[in-house]
Each structure stands twice: as structure tokens, then as C-alpha cells.
Amino acid sequence: MRKGMRTLIVLFTVLAVFITSTAAASAATDKTYTIQLANGETATVEGHFETKVEKQIVTQLNKYRKSNKVSTVKTTKALEKAADTRAIEAAYKFSHTRPNGKKYNTVAKVVKGENLAQGYKTASAAMKAWKKSKSHNKNMLLKKYKTVGVSVFAEKQQSKSGRTVYIYYAVQNFGY
């Protein structure tokens, strides 16, 4: 009985350390980002980027394009930077119109198409939602798109009970 109790205590200790480490790691990566508004003022959002999910979206997108006999897309720094900006902006205002009142493609000259998703924590969930939408699916399969930038921003919020929660915003910015 004592050996079983010790094992249980060790397991709980390991679990507690894991949970604390995971929470601390997320909190350590959260940053405050500034957004330009239409009236010349600024607003801020707090959160972090989910780079692992971003890479998974690119992989799934290219697999999907291949399965539909469309050439794969390559990521570019310019489109990735634009997607990061748009993901932060989407956390403030979920729209293809930017918080500054301009169209989505004014974020960078290389942006020719855009997909947005809100509330999907995994790459598979975001891709599934985009595939179900006629206009988003069309963007993903458009032959003229040769490049992409993907971003997933996890916006930090407080729930009514005071817990920290994250709302996820995924962006695909397409280019030629």
C-alpha cells in the first residue's frame, strides 16, 4: 500500500510540474502587439504565435493542392510577415477590412488573396473550415497562387471566471 501511495504522489508531483511548466511557457511567449486604427489611434492585443500549427497548415495546404492536381505553394518571408500582421489585426477586428479601414491586401503589395479563420486551435480544424467555405476553398486551390504566408495568433483573454484562455486566429495570405 505504501509503495502504491508513493507512486501516486510522484505521479501527481510530475503532473503538477508539467502543468506549471506548460502554463509558464505560454505566459513567457505572450507579447503585446500594437495595431493601427482608422482614426490614427492605436489599440493593443496580447498573445503569441503558434508556429507549429502554422507549419502544419502549410503542409496540409500543399497536400490538399496536390490531391486536387494543383501545384504546391512556397512560403515567402514577405507573405509570412503580412500574415502575422493580419492575424494580430484579426484578433482586434475579425474582418477582411483592416482595423485602419483599408482592404486586407494593403498590408503588403505581394498579398493577392486571403483566408481568415477564428476559433480553430489545430491546423486540421482550420483547414476543414476553409474547405467547407466555397470562397476560401477556391483561394486554396487557385492555380495562379504560387506563394503563401500562414500565421496563427493565439490572443490571450480572461474568462468570466478569471482563467486565462486563448482565442485562435489563422490567416493564409496568397501571392503569385
Side-chain angles (χ1 to χ4, degrees), residues 79 81-90 93-99 102-108 110-117 130 133-140 142 145 147-151 170-175:
L79 284 169
K81 183 178 177 184
D84 284 348
T85 298
R86 290 294 296 130
I88 292 166
E89 291 178 344
K93 178 184 179 189
F94 187 73
S95 172
H96 291 291
T97 301
R98 301 177 65 200
K102 298 178 181 178
K103 285 182 66 176
Y104 71 88
N105 60 354
T106 63
V107 70
V110 294
V111 175
K112 305 303 178 190
E114 177 176 80
N115 284 348
L116 297 177
W130 284 326
S133 162
K134 187 176 181 180
S135 61
H136 294 96
N137 192 58
K138 180 182 174 186
N139 272 347
M140 291 194 297
L142 212 55
Y145 291 150
T147 55
V148 71
V150 174
S151 184
V171 176
Q172 292 175 323
N173 279 151
F174 295 96

Side-chain angles (χ1 to χ4, degrees), residues 32-84:
T32 300
Y33 297 90
T34 303
I35 300 163
Q36 297 296 317
L37 304 179
N39 58 9
E41 294 184 19
T42 60
T44 59
V45 294
E46 185 178 359
H48 61 272
F49 291 99
E50 293 283 346
T51 54
K52 183 178 175 183
V53 179
E54 293 167 359
K55 289 174 185 170
Q56 291 169 344
I57 288 174
V58 173
T59 299
Q60 290 181 29
L61 171 64
N62 278 327
K63 183 178 177 183
Y64 184 55
R65 286 176 66 94
K66 274 185 186 179
S67 73
N68 283 276
K69 312 245 185 291
V70 180
S71 63
T72 60
V73 288
K74 295 188 184 307
T75 59
T76 68
K77 294 286 183 196
L79 284 169
E80 287 174 347
K81 183 178 177 184
D84 284 348

